[in-house]
Amino acid sequence: MTRLYTLIAYICINIPFVISQQPVGCNQSCPGGKFNQVPYPFGFSSGCEIQLNCTSSGVVLINEFPVEQINSDDLIVTLPTMCGRPVNTLRNLYSKNYALTSASAILMENCTTETSNCYLPVQLPQFRSAIVNCSSVGYGNMSCYVGDVRSNMFLDYGNVTSLGCKFLLTGFVSERIGGVGPPPSMTRAVKLGWWVKGTCDDSCSDDANCTRIVSPVDGSDGYRCKCRNGFNGDGYKSSSGCLPLKGTVYHYLA
């Protein structure tokens, strides 16, 4: 009898997990690249909560920018070095579901005000030369901008563009702001925080924590789910939810 209850419990827990791996109406497959299938809430069709693009060669994109990592609370997106790229291209990294975080440092050129509040391993001109020298084709007056991760989760688009810069050179992930610290942890890339639109109410699995997000784009409500310690899954009721990790023992009455 005990074995029967154990089998029933296993089926009840795992069948919903199998069924919900691919949400109805959402294509999460991008074959041929580093992501064969992206996790919920991401996907490549109109039925997905957060829609990405998939090229014929299997590259996952946010607009024209390749996605390198998809994490439980952020994305790492490649921002290739380019001379003469309009600064308003940054707008493509802001949407109703994601935005640049304050850990993203943005390097721009032809600015009306030259500033640098980013931590760099060397002086700004040397850092620029190490990446690419756009001065040879008529660019200069470089600025580096990063937010304050201690007070704001996201990088304010208005503050970035208020420097009056014309061109977006590149970016890097900077976990330190000023003072003494390690060099930037990742160059030619930026970090995007993401969220699902809505509220925490009944959205996450019973075994998940819900983080409330206020969209920096339009001020609307958003949230993210994450399974608690001892559980595995994406944390969302509409997807895989949370399952006990292997080795976790549950007792059932016979």
Side-chain angles (χ1 to χ4, degrees), residues 106-127:
I106 305 301
L107 276 69
M108 298 166 286
E109 291 215 304
N110 282 41
C111 304
T112 55
T113 303
E114 187 171 352
T115 62
S116 175
N117 69 335
C118 308
Y119 174 79
L120 298 173
V122 295
Q123 294 297 314
L124 191 61
Q126 294 172 265
F127 189 73

Side-chain angles (χ1 to χ4, degrees), residues 206-230:
D206 293 338
D207 298 306
N209 294 319
C210 187
T211 300
R212 180 176 177 268
I213 306 292
V214 177
S215 168
V217 177
D218 58 13
S220 61
D221 290 328
Y223 67 94
R224 286 194 301 258
C225 303
K226 187 174 183 179
C227 292
R228 300 189 182 105
N229 291 337

Side-chain angles (χ1 to χ4, degrees), residues 102-105 116-120 145-152 155 172 174-182:
S102 293
S104 300
S116 175
N117 69 335
C118 308
Y119 174 79
L120 298 173
Y145 184 87
V146 67
D148 189 342
V149 295
R150 296 164 296 186
S151 61
N152 198 342
L155 196 65
F172 60 88
S174 174
E175 301 296 347
R176 291 296 301 270
I177 304 170
V180 178

Side-chain angles (χ1 to χ4, degrees), residues 153-171:
M153 183 184 301
F154 296 102
L155 196 65
D156 187 276
Y157 178 80
N159 288 344
V160 179
T161 55
S162 66
L163 296 175
C165 302
K166 291 184 179 180
F167 305 116
L168 170 63
L169 179 61
T170 187

